[in-house]
């Protein structure tokens, strides 16, 4: 459905929103794909496995110096100029890029496609691309990534873009089997009381090759400043390879069903941050995101407690092995201890889980007490599905509160910016959760296409997990396959109406219908095998 929160079509996979976004098709024609220059790379052997509950390396960085003035292909599209280049790295399960030396006009837009020409990320505007000296892109699945830069043609001679690195992913963060079987999806009913904790938790990548978890925090002004807490050992700002501007945040990366397939969406993301404070004693880093998360993401700004009170029970929500979000429970008091984490002493809360564990990639996740406030972030531990009785340690928020002698070494100046002496605060909800979908029509489907794949769950306009309750077609057949609906036209039929119902995590439902029609003039773009239609869901604006 068209999102009334966003006028343009932001797509996952291949979409038929071409009628709305005629200036730039949502996929590339086969002829265009065949003409795009390709640079092929070869990564070395992947690194060894990592210790549990530590920052997770998922990609290898390959330095490049590819400039749009001398590499790639420039073409004209009306009043616009298009620059395209394909990058390939054999056996990569995902790819991303680092861009630098950017000289772009105000109306520049960058899109990232996979090797089949399906749009995965973007468009990224001039503001997002030029905010820092370099730009780190979100992930595109598969061994091929295609960049498309669109600018007003009159600025072509003054435009420059340099690809400075290609990040070859060797851990599949999208479609592999989930982390250890003892982990608990946040889509499970047991996690329902902790929905706010889930909404505040994010998966982050740093420098295009390292992965951790993080939690969004409220401040005493309750003004929605996007403050993200994670572990210092995740390495934000530790070198020029991992600057704060390289942080990419993925929101609501969750399975749609408890114990279901790993079908989380990576489309809800944002890039860039600034490091505000860090400290070794509590192993914490606090960054401010370049922008507040979009309202459609329905995030939650977590409350916190820096009084140092011993928690008697609670949870942690996190991304073990970089997978979709999980939740771990403890129901006996934590203990305050100085833990040794890889040779570094950390003032921490030590917990033993009654259900669930953590893994590499969970680092930086928040520890929530029974009052639903964050009291620390994951620093290390030895719990696992093979060792569920192992303990994990979280750097203590009360220690990080006034750990350093300057604002760059403690949390207090940022979480209590007016120095009100407040050491415990409730969370901030961006607004009410209301699911709303609208009817839509997709015209001009290719006449020889009998099947259409509809990706109704992967969207920017509704927070996961979303589920399809029921679906029916007037003439053809429709089946639910994973996260997709597979529609098949009846023999001799060239149009149909599909009706379905969605439900969100709060039990709210919404129904919609979509018209499929092969009788209209064809859309721009060529047949690329399966067609994927992304139905964008809208929500009412938050308070």
């Amino acid at each position: 459905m068209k999102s009334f929160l966003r006028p343009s079509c932001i797509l996952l996979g291949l979409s038929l929103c071409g009628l709305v976004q005629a200036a730039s098709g949502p996929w590339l024609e086969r002829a265009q794909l065949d003409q795009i220059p390709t640079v092929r790379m070869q990564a070395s052997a992947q690194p060894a496995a990592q210790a549990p509950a530590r920052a997770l390396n998922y990609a290898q960085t390959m330095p490049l110096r590819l400039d749009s003035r001398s590499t790639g292909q420039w073409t004209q599209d009306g009043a616009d100029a298009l620059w395209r280049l394909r990058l390939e790295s054999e056996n990569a399960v995902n790819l991303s890029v680092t861009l630098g030396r950017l000289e772009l006009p105000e109306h520049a837009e960058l899109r990232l496609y996979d090797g089949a020409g399906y749009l995965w990320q973007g468009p990224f505007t001039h503001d997002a691309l030029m905010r820092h000296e370099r730009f780190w892109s979100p992930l595109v699945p598969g061994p091929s990534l295609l960049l498309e830069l669109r600018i007003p043609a009159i600025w072509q001679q003054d435009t420059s873009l340099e690809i400075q690195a290609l990040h070859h992913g060797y851990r599949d963060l999208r479609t592999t089997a989930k982390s250890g079987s003892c982990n608990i999806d946040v889509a499970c009913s047991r996690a329902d009381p902790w929905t706010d904790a889930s909404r505040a938790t994010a998966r982050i990548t740093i420098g295009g090759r390292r992965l951790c978890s993080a939690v969004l925090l409220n401040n005493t002004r309750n003004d929605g400043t996007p403050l993200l807490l994670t572990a210092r050992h995740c390495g934000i700002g530790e070198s020029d390879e991992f600057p704060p501007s390289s942080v990419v945040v993925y929101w609501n990366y969750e399975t749609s069903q408890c114990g279901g397939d790993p079908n989380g969406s990576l489309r809800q993301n944002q890039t860039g941050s600034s490091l505000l404070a860090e400290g070794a004693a509590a192993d914490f880093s606090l960054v401010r995101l370049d922008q507040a998360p979009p309202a459609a993401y329905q995030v939650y700004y977590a409350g916190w407690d820096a009084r140092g009170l011993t928690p008697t029970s609670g949870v942690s929500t996190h991304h073990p092995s970089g997978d979709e979000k999980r939740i771990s429970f403890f129901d006996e008091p934590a203990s305050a201890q100085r833990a040794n984490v890889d040779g570094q002493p950390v003032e921490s809360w030590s917990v033993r889980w009654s259900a669930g564990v953590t893994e590499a990639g969970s680092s930086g996740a928040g520890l929530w007490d029974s009052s639903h406030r964050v009291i620390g972030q994951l620093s290390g531990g030895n719990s696992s599905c093979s060792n569920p009785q192992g303990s994990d340690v979280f750097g203590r928020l009360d220690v990080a509160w006034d750990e350093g002698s300057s604002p760059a070494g403690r949390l207090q100046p940022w979480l209590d910016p007016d120095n009100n002496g407040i050491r415990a605060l409730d969370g901030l909800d961006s607004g009410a959760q209301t699911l709303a979908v609208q009817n839509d029509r997709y015209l001009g489907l290719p006449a020889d296409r009998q099947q259409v794949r509809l990706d109704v769950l992967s969207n920017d306009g509704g927070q996961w997990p979303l589920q399809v309750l029921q679906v029916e077609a007037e003439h053809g057949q429709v089946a639910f396959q994973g996260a997709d609906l597979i529609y098949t036209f009846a023999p001799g039929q060239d149009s149909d109406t599909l009706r379905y119902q969605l439900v969100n995590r709060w039990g709210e439902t919404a129904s919609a219908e979509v018209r499929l029609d092969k009788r209209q003039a064809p859309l721009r773009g060529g047949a690329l095998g399966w067609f994927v239609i992304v139905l964008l869901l809208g929500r009412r604006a938050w308070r």
Side-chain angles (χ1 to χ4, degrees), residues 450-498:
Q450 290 304 113
Q451 279 195 326
V452 182
R453 180 184 294 267
L454 298 96
D455 190 356
V456 298
L457 297 182
S458 298
N459 61 80
D460 282 346
Q463 192 207 345
W464 278 60
L466 296 169
Q467 297 182 42
V468 176
L469 286 183
Q470 59 184 8
V471 59
E472 61 180 13
E474 288 185 353
H475 304 291
Q477 296 181 345
V478 62
F480 194 65
Q481 185 180 93
D484 302 332
L485 298 178
I486 308 299
Y487 171 81
T488 304
F489 280 97
Q493 203 73 32
D494 56 9
S495 65
D496 204 351
T497 298
L498 197 72

Side-chain angles (χ1 to χ4, degrees), residues 386-471:
S386 60
N387 184 31
Q389 300 305 313
S391 63
D392 286 335
V393 293
F394 291 75
R396 289 169 52 181
L397 201 74
D398 59 302
V399 174
W401 186 258
D402 50 14
E403 175 180 333
S405 58
S406 71
R410 49 199 173 101
L411 290 177
Q412 180 274 324
W414 312 105
L415 300 188
D416 183 20
D418 298 322
N419 198 24
N420 293 320
I422 298 173
R423 294 188 70 120
L425 183 71
D426 288 333
L428 174 68
D429 198 335
S430 300
Q433 296 80 35
T434 302
L435 178 63
V437 297
Q438 298 184 53
N439 300 332
D440 212 339
R441 302 179 69 198
Y442 294 93
L443 310 179
L445 297 173
D448 61 348
R449 188 61 53 189
Q450 290 304 113
Q451 279 195 326
V452 182
R453 180 184 294 267
L454 298 96
D455 190 356
V456 298
L457 297 182
S458 298
N459 61 80
D460 282 346
Q463 192 207 345
W464 278 60
L466 296 169
Q467 297 182 42
V468 176
L469 286 183
Q470 59 184 8
V471 59

Side-chain angles (χ1 to χ4, degrees), residues 254-271:
E254 307 170 12
T255 57
S256 60
Q257 299 182 34
C258 176
D261 295 333
N263 60 359
S265 170
L266 295 174
R267 282 293 299 125
Q268 295 188 355
N269 60 64
Q270 61 185 108
T271 300

Side-chain angles (χ1 to χ4, degrees), residues 1-209:
M1 305 306 101
K2 296 187 184 75
S3 168
F4 51 82
L5 293 175
R6 292 186 173 197
S8 62
C9 294
I10 308 293
L11 313 178
L12 172 65
L14 176 61
S15 167
L16 296 181
C17 290
L19 290 174
V20 177
Q21 203 172 20
S24 177
W27 71 92
L28 299 180
E29 298 179 19
R30 178 71 68 188
Q32 293 174 326
L33 288 171
D34 294 341
Q35 296 172 7
I36 296 173
T38 300
V39 174
R40 293 180 172 85
M41 306 288 292
Q42 182 66 54
S44 61
Q46 70 182 58
Q50 304 226 188
R54 302 298 293 169
L56 178 69
N57 291 327
Y58 69 92
Q60 177 183 340
T61 295
M62 296 179 285
L64 292 173
R65 293 291 295 274
L66 301 176
D67 192 278
S68 60
R69 298 182 188 273
S70 57
T71 310
Q73 176 194 68
W74 281 99
T75 59
Q76 296 294 120
D77 183 13
D80 291 341
L82 294 175
W83 175 81
R84 295 184 177 118
L85 178 67
R86 187 191 344 248
L87 302 174
E88 292 185 354
S89 185
E90 185 178 0
N91 298 323
V93 294
N94 53 69
L95 294 173
S96 62
V97 292
T98 301
L99 307 179
R101 298 182 182 272
L102 298 169
E103 298 178 18
L104 303 176
E106 182 178 353
H107 298 292
E109 289 186 340
L110 178 72
R111 291 171 172 82
L112 302 180
Y113 300 80
D114 67 11
Y118 297 171
L119 178 62
W120 277 92
Q121 306 290 358
F124 301 103
T125 63
H126 173 274
D127 179 59
L129 295 168
M130 300 288 288
R131 190 173 292 119
H132 298 281
E133 183 178 350
R134 289 174 287 174
F135 174 81
W136 278 259
S137 80
L139 298 170
V140 170
S144 182
L145 180 153
L146 192 153
L147 296 96
E148 179 188 80
L149 178 67
R150 177 180 289 270
I151 62 168
I154 59 174
W155 296 106
Q156 181 176 335
Q157 297 302 316
D158 300 314
T159 295
S160 179
L161 174 152
E162 183 178 82
I163 303 171
Q164 297 186 340
L166 177 67
H167 307 286
H168 170 113
Y170 50 78
R171 296 184 190 273
D172 194 336
L173 305 177
R174 190 176 62 92
T175 58
T176 57
K178 297 188 295 185
S179 49
S181 59
C182 70
N183 283 288
I184 303 168
D185 294 325
V186 293
C188 296
S189 59
R190 186 170 183 177
D192 287 349
W194 297 94
T195 292
D196 291 343
S198 177
R199 294 164 56 205
T201 300
R203 193 187 80 166
I204 64 173
T205 57
I206 309 152
R209 49 188 275 212

Side-chain angles (χ1 to χ4, degrees), residues 201 213-217 228-232 281-285 302-309 311 315-318 330 334 346-351 353 362-369 372-380 392-401 411 415 423:
T201 300
S213 300
V215 59
L216 187 67
L217 297 182
L228 198 70
L229 178 71
T230 190
R232 181 175 182 267
D283 189 26
F284 82 94
S285 288
W304 38 263
D305 194 328
R307 293 176 295 177
L309 305 178
V315 304
S316 179
T317 51
H318 52 97
F330 70 99
V346 177
E347 299 295 337
S348 63
W349 295 116
S350 177
V351 300
W353 306 111
S362 301
S363 284
L367 180 67
W368 299 70
D369 65 14
H372 293 239
R373 292 169 173 167
V374 173
I375 57 172
Q377 68 289 328
L378 182 60
S379 183
D392 286 335
V393 293
F394 291 75
R396 289 169 52 181
L397 201 74
D398 59 302
V399 174
W401 186 258
L411 290 177
L415 300 188
R423 294 188 70 120

